[in-house]
Amino acid sequence: MAALPELKDAPAPEEVAEHKPYVPDGVKMPEFTLSAVLLGASLGLIFAASSLYLVLKIGMTVSASIPVAVLAITLFRALSRAFGLRQATILENNIVQTAGSAGESIAFGVGVTMPTLLLLGFGMDLPRIMVVSILGGILGILAMIPLRRAFIVNMHGRPGQPGTLLYPEGTACAQVLISGEKGGTTGKTVFIGFGVAFFHKFVTEGLAVLKETVAVPVGFINRAAVFSQAMASELLGVGYIIGLRTSAIMMAGAVLGYLIIIPIIYFVGEYAATPVPPGQIPIKEMTVGQIRNNYLLFIGAGCVATAGIVSMFKTLPMIVRGVVGGLRGVGGGPGGRMKRRTEDDMPLSVVFLGSLGLIVLLALFLMAEVGAVAAVAGALLVVLFGFLFVTVSARLTGEIGSSSNPISGMTTATLMLTCLIFLTLGWQSSIDRLLALSIASVVCIASSNGGTTAQSLKTGYLVGGTPKYMQYAILIGAIISALVIGSTLIMFNESRAVVSTKPENVPAYALNSAELGRLHETATHDGKTYKVWHTRNDNLTEKKDGFEPRPETIALAKTKAGMYFVDPETGKLAALKDNTIMGQLEERDDGTYVKREFEAPKTQVMGIVINGVLKGDLNWSMIGIGAMIALMLELCGVSALAFAVGVYVPIQYSTPIFLGGVVRHFVDRYLARQAAAEAEANVRAAVAAAGDDPLARVRAEQEAKGQAEIDALRKSETSGGVLLASGFIAGGSLAGVLLGFLAFHDEWPDDMRQWEYRTVAVAAAKPLQGAAEDAARAELGLEGKTPNARQEAKVSELAKEIAGLSKNEPYEWVPVPAGTTLKLPEGKSDYVASADTRLKDVAKEVFGRERKARKIFDKNGDKLRLPAELPAGAKLKLPASDWPAWVVFGALALFLLAVGTGRLMTPPPPENDGGGS
């Protein structure tokens, strides 16, 4: 994308008046129809789920307006052909993309902020998420209504003209709609991308046919240096859409974090005999994941937070211009003459009354938890910061696009300012921290939805849509998405939650009666009701209302952060609940593996800011190191936000994004050569048509070059590659959502994978780890050989994977002596062994499946013991090979390259004008 010009003064009124939309003002056609609104809201829910998945995984999303517009055109066209219905108008398609685009913006705001509740010691309750989502979505739209004329109309101008806000996605989306009206633009590419990515994700993660992540030890550094890549089609699509520069900066952050910082920490830690805080075991005994969680996590968080704040300060001049321009534009519509259709906004009275209503509703909601003064102050801060940052977001979106808009930076700044205000007022309790998060959450969602609204209004301005109908559409889409997104987030969080009773996870500690009386939340586990203690909440560690906290409880809360189930009768801690989002436990008590993929990087930054300022609970050394890294990059002229995200998220997520950016680079170079040849011919033709007048020739040349820039942008942003990548994102993300929900079932995930595994028999009785190491050496062809350090590292990694895959084998080989009475799950009567047997044989006899042995063992742990070693003949599962995953993922990248350059699936040329004007 070409660099946009520096924004200065708005174009003169006579230049703005020259704009003629595709559908003229005097033309009336179906626009705000029930079918358009329902289709848009439905597509919005689909992209909201995929966006939520992405933001929890890697902390970023991409604009959904273009794929929604393409799908709207395709679906309406298919329905009209199948049932003989009226062909949808361009304005109806515009309403679909407007309503649909809200889902992505709501999902981003919710995914960034709401999981922070877990870090503050509160549960993610549905009413809170719904209230915050709805109010934030509405505020973003209300704040954008008075800004439409200032940003969309007065700053429209011509390409390359000073004062122009281009709104890249909005302009490209308008070109998609116009192309669809003329007979072009097919959604086939999106659907194919969706199907390919969905199938690849399901085969990879659901059936385990291909490796999910390929890790390559970089042994010449040390054993802590590991390069890895997730075979994630949705991340390949993300990288393609954000482009090479951003994805390369993100990859650079990953290289620094995982191939430089972690190896350095390990190298130094090898010589430290004692643990280095906040770690609890010596560094030389830590895995790469433990080094990351104890050290790199905080460095990355400091980098992300600082980068967000710096990006905020860098935009201060733009903020001032945006606010001044916005205020100047309010009420700047047509005077006494009749309002035209394309100038008909929702009335400003709605903005005023709606904002007042938001203050009242939010204050009433907050009063249930904080005092009236704090509730009203919080509501006023929300509206103040909301209008400010919606203005900033709308302006930045017009300049750099939605996908590059630093919403998280604005949210971090909001949170920092709010926390500093609270610190000055002495508001530092857990409830005050919750209030600060609520304020930032509404502002974040409002800013996100405000930028999306601005893009959609730009699209409508170009195609000739009615502003008030678009505002109603995105309002409906935002409310529907807000009503559903909370349930989706909670289901994500519960899908792979682990409840552990292991002694190493549950401290041997009992709360006294006074402490039990302060716990009001309850939870049910294994048929028993427990009280819930969130150690991050200070309800048991703060001196308040005459309660005197015990020093040992304070110490335990600091060292064993988490959510514990407490026996209401004895006060003993009974179990630890580890949530899916930001979860730490990688195996259940029965030894089965739990996949952890929701790192929620930007969420953790929110928690660090709140606790760091109001609780003073922060590792400032590592946060400061991360901050210095961000400042160093800014001094080098590199925007640090993408780099910081690369440092923070696991390297396997940055790698496919970088590969997607590389593919986009080659596609853009190919398309640029084509566009340059066309542009040169068009400029020569325009200059020749201008005649001999030198001024006319110069003006014609400037306009032709400006139009060439727009055409190049349109071709790049609406190429087959972008559409295919959008399909990759939606298909891969929604397959991930489905697989996450399947994890609610005890058997389905394992059932889907069983057929694929190769197995090897244990030659002689051995412990699981020893048998796994033997199997790993055989698999790598190292039997009877002396491996070097690199080969030994490979053996160690493969043995861990084999042992992990085969964790349930010991349960199958548990001996059951004759006469043993076993309790059976699932309502079956007791089983009495008639002869010496193995638990796997009992399971096969009772359930028809050997793998049910674990369920029987769980019911009879008091009388059965795991074998000290596996007997000869026991089966170990071998993981899938690396090379098929590389081949298939490489084929996906080549497919994306071919479609992006037009070598495959070239869309048909547009027909004659379909009569939109």
Side-chain angles (χ1 to χ4, degrees):
M1 183 187 301
L4 297 175
E6 179 69 22
L7 298 179
K8 297 177 182 177
D9 297 323
E14 62 268 20
E15 294 176 355
V16 175
E18 293 176 4
H19 169 68
K20 293 181 180 180
Y22 181 77
V23 179
D25 183 78
V27 173
K28 292 185 178 181
M29 60 174 63
E31 182 175 6
F32 190 72
T33 60
L34 180 62
S35 59
V37 174
L38 289 179
L39 179 59
S42 301
L43 292 174
L45 292 178
I46 293 174
F47 280 92
S50 65
S51 296
L52 183 62
Y53 178 87
L54 281 178
V55 78
L56 291 175
K57 190 167 187 172
I58 60 172
M60 64 172 60
T61 61
V62 293
S63 175
S65 57
I66 292 175
V68 169
V70 172
L71 292 174
I73 294 167
T74 304
L75 291 173
F76 273 142
R77 190 176 291 164
L79 290 173
S80 67
R81 290 172 180 171
F83 300 103
L85 302 177
R86 170 184 61 81
Q87 177 67 48
T89 67
I90 185 174
L91 298 188
E92 285 179 297
N93 288 327
N94 180 50
I95 289 295
V96 174
Q97 72 84 17
T98 301
S101 62
E104 176 264 330
S105 60
I106 297 293
F108 177 84
V110 170
V112 165
T113 58
M114 284 292 94
T116 311
L117 289 166
L118 303 174
L119 299 178
L120 300 183
F122 296 90
M124 287 200 298
D125 53 306
L126 185 59
R128 181 186 308 280
I129 299 174
M130 288 176 59
V131 168
V132 167
S133 305
I134 292 172
L135 295 183
I138 293 174
L139 179 59
I141 297 165
L142 292 179
M144 189 57 213
I145 291 172
L147 297 175
R148 187 191 69 85
R149 170 160 290 275
F151 287 171
I152 307 300
V153 179
N154 294 346
M155 292 187 175
H156 174 62
R158 285 190 291 269
Q161 187 177 45
T164 296
L165 285 181
L166 186 59
Y167 289 97
E169 290 98 339
T171 301
C173 190
Q175 295 288 349
V176 168
L177 292 173
I178 293 171
S179 175
E181 184 72 0
K182 294 179 177 180
T185 304
T186 172
K188 180 178 70 173
T189 308
V190 180
F191 284 114
I192 290 176
F194 181 96
V196 168
F198 190 96
F199 179 76
H200 176 261
K201 185 83 168 182
F202 200 82
V203 165
T204 300
E205 296 191 13
L207 302 180
V209 174
L210 302 170
K211 292 285 286 288
E212 294 178 34
T213 302
V214 175
V216 180
V218 188
F220 72 88
I221 300 178
N222 57 37
R223 80 168 184 86
V226 179
F227 176 86
S228 58
Q229 171 168 319
M231 301 301 173
S233 48
E234 71 275 11
L235 301 186
L236 182 68
V238 169
Y240 187 92
I241 288 180
I242 66 176
L244 177 61
R245 174 154 180 84
T246 301
S247 61
I249 292 174
M250 186 174 175
M251 188 66 209
V255 169
L256 176 68
Y258 292 85
L259 298 180
I260 299 176
I261 293 179
I262 285 181
I264 287 175
I265 292 174
Y266 178 76
F267 175 76
V268 175
E270 276 191 297
Y271 302 96
T274 58
V276 178
Q280 297 181 10
I281 61 175
I283 291 176
K284 61 184 176 182
E285 299 176 13
M286 289 184 177
T287 64
V288 174
Q290 289 172 324
I291 296 175
R292 174 191 179 270
N293 292 337
N294 283 288
Y295 307 104
L296 184 64
L297 196 76
F298 296 96
I299 295 173
C303 197
V304 172
T306 304
I309 294 171
V310 169
S311 70
M312 184 67 203
F313 279 107
K314 286 169 65 177
T315 59
L316 276 178
M318 197 177 300
I319 293 173
V320 175
R321 290 200 303 268
V323 172
V324 172
L327 293 174
R328 188 185 299 135
V330 174
R337 62 185 175 86
M338 183 178 295
K339 185 180 291 184
R340 297 187 299 177
R341 178 183 62 82
T342 53
E343 296 173 342
D344 190 10
D345 288 286
M346 291 170 65
L348 286 177
S349 59
V350 172
V351 177
F352 176 75
L353 293 176
S355 302
L356 186 61
L358 285 175
I359 294 174
V360 173
L361 290 174
L362 187 58
L364 291 174
F365 175 74
L366 295 175
M367 277 184 193
E369 297 168 335
V370 299
V373 174
V376 173
L380 290 173
L381 283 175
V382 162
V383 174
L384 174 64
F385 286 138
F387 272 85
L388 171 64
F389 288 116
V390 167
T391 302
V392 176
S393 178
R395 180 79 183 238
L396 280 175
T397 300
E399 186 171 337
I400 60 178
S402 296
S403 300
S404 302
N405 195 2
I407 299 295
S408 57
M410 300 179 204
T411 307
T412 304
T414 300
L415 202 52
M416 188 70 75
L417 290 171
T418 303
C419 289
L420 290 174
I421 292 172
F422 282 14
L423 187 64
T424 303
L425 297 174
W427 296 356
Q428 295 175 258
S429 70
S430 59
I431 296 300
D432 296 323
R433 297 196 292 275
L434 179 63
L435 176 59
L437 174 65
S438 300
I439 293 170
S441 300
V442 177
V443 172
C444 178
I445 296 168
S447 303
S448 179
N449 205 30
T452 299
T453 302
Q455 288 280 20
S456 295
L457 289 175
K458 179 69 171 186
T459 301
Y461 182 69
L462 295 173
V463 302
T466 307
K468 71 175 181 181
Y469 290 149
M470 298 181 66
Q471 290 153 0
Y472 285 133
I474 200 167
L475 186 63
I476 294 170
I479 291 175
I480 291 176
S481 295
L483 290 172
V484 175
I485 202 68
S487 300
T488 307
L489 179 65
I490 291 174
M491 290 180 71
F492 273 172
N493 193 46
E494 294 294 331
S495 63
R496 292 183 178 131
V498 175
V499 177
S500 174
T501 58
K502 284 185 174 181
E504 59 264 36
N505 296 327
V506 184
Y509 190 74
L511 304 181
N512 59 32
S513 57
E515 292 169 334
L516 281 174
R518 298 177 70 82
L519 301 180
H520 305 293
E521 184 181 349
T522 60
T524 301
H525 176 61
D526 279 347
K528 183 174 180 179
T529 300
Y530 295 92
K531 289 199 169 188
V532 176
W533 179 32
H534 296 271
T535 61
R536 293 183 178 93
N537 194 317
D538 58 12
N539 53 351
L540 300 188
T541 58
E542 180 186 35
K543 185 176 182 179
K544 188 178 181 181
D545 302 328
F547 174 76
E548 191 70 38
R550 290 191 290 164
E552 53 267 34
T553 303
I554 297 175
L556 178 65
K558 285 185 177 181
T559 58
K560 294 288 184 179
M563 175 181 174
Y564 293 93
F565 294 162
V566 183
D567 190 317
E569 297 174 359
T570 64
K572 291 183 178 179
L573 305 189
L576 167 71
K577 182 177 181 183
D578 191 50
N579 292 291
T580 303
I581 300 174
M582 299 175 289
Q584 298 297 315
L585 299 182
E586 294 187 349
E587 66 176 38
R588 300 179 181 88
D589 286 0
D590 60 25
T592 54
Y593 172 71
V594 183
K595 184 178 181 182
R596 295 303 190 192
E597 59 180 343
F598 293 144
E599 298 288 340
K602 292 182 179 177
T603 295
Q604 299 206 40
V605 172
M606 304 298 162
I608 286 172
V609 170
I610 295 175
N611 288 327
V613 176
L614 295 182
K615 200 175 180 182
D617 184 15
L618 203 57
N619 188 320
W620 284 107
S621 293
M622 283 180 286
I623 294 292
I625 291 171
M628 291 302 104
I629 292 173
L631 292 177
M632 174 198 71
L633 287 167
E634 293 291 344
L635 290 173
C636 293
V638 177
S639 178
L641 199 54
F643 185 94
V645 172
V647 173
Y648 196 96
V649 302
I651 188 173
Q652 62 261 32
Y653 298 146
S654 297
T655 310
I657 292 175
F658 174 63
L659 179 59
V662 172
V663 173
R664 177 65 178 268
H665 172 68
F666 286 112
V667 170
D668 282 350
R669 287 186 61 182
Y670 179 84
L671 295 178
R673 287 196 296 268
Q674 291 183 329
E678 294 176 7
E680 186 177 350
N682 291 337
V683 169
R684 286 199 301 266
V687 172
D692 297 329
D693 185 353
L695 186 60
R697 290 168 67 90
V698 171
R699 185 179 182 89
E701 182 179 5
Q702 289 178 340
E703 290 186 355
K705 287 181 177 179
Q707 187 59 45
E709 183 179 339
I710 280 290
D711 289 341
L713 174 66
R714 175 181 59 80
K715 288 179 180 179
S716 176
E717 295 296 329
T718 62
S719 68
V722 170
L723 299 181
L724 187 69
S726 299
F728 279 3
I729 292 169
S733 299
L734 292 178
V737 172
L738 175 63
L739 292 170
F741 290 164
L742 285 179
F744 282 117
H745 196 278
D746 288 337
E747 301 295 332
W748 286 349
D750 285 339
D751 287 347
M752 292 189 297
R753 294 168 177 251
Q754 283 307 304
W755 68 274
E756 187 273 338
Y757 290 121
R758 294 177 298 121
T759 59
V760 61
V762 177
K766 281 191 175 183
L768 174 61
Q769 188 59 37
E773 289 174 356
D774 289 346
R777 290 190 181 91
E779 181 74 1
L780 296 171
L782 296 175
E783 283 183 300
K785 299 179 181 179
T786 303
N788 57 34
R790 183 177 179 183
Q791 290 170 332
E792 192 61 47
K794 285 185 177 181
V795 168
S796 176
E797 290 298 318
L798 183 56
K800 288 179 184 177
E801 193 167 358
I802 292 172
L805 292 172
S806 306
K807 281 280 189 176
N808 57 349
E809 293 293 341
Y811 295 96
E812 298 179 6
W813 293 97
V814 167
V816 181
T820 304
T821 300
L822 299 177
K823 297 177 183 177
L824 299 180
E826 302 179 12
K828 295 184 180 293
S829 58
D830 290 351
Y831 177 91
V832 180
S834 58
D836 290 350
T837 185
R838 299 279 184 181
L839 199 55
K840 72 185 184 73
D841 300 316
V842 177
K844 190 167 185 179
E845 179 182 343
V846 175
F847 295 103
R849 305 172 67 188
E850 294 180 358
R851 289 190 306 104
K852 290 278 189 175
R854 176 172 57 83
K855 282 184 170 292
I856 302 177
F857 183 87
D858 289 344
K859 291 288 184 181
N860 300 274
D862 56 335
K863 65 184 69 173
L864 298 176
R865 294 291 178 266
L866 289 173
E869 56 186 27
L870 295 181
K875 302 289 187 180
L876 295 184
K877 297 176 183 176
L878 299 180
S881 301
D882 289 351
W883 69 264
W886 282 116
V887 169
V888 173
F889 200 74
L892 284 179
L894 291 175
F895 180 43
L896 185 58
L897 178 67
V899 173
T901 55
R903 299 300 180 93
L904 285 178
M905 298 168 55
T906 304
E911 301 171 2
N912 293 331
D913 196 320
S917 55

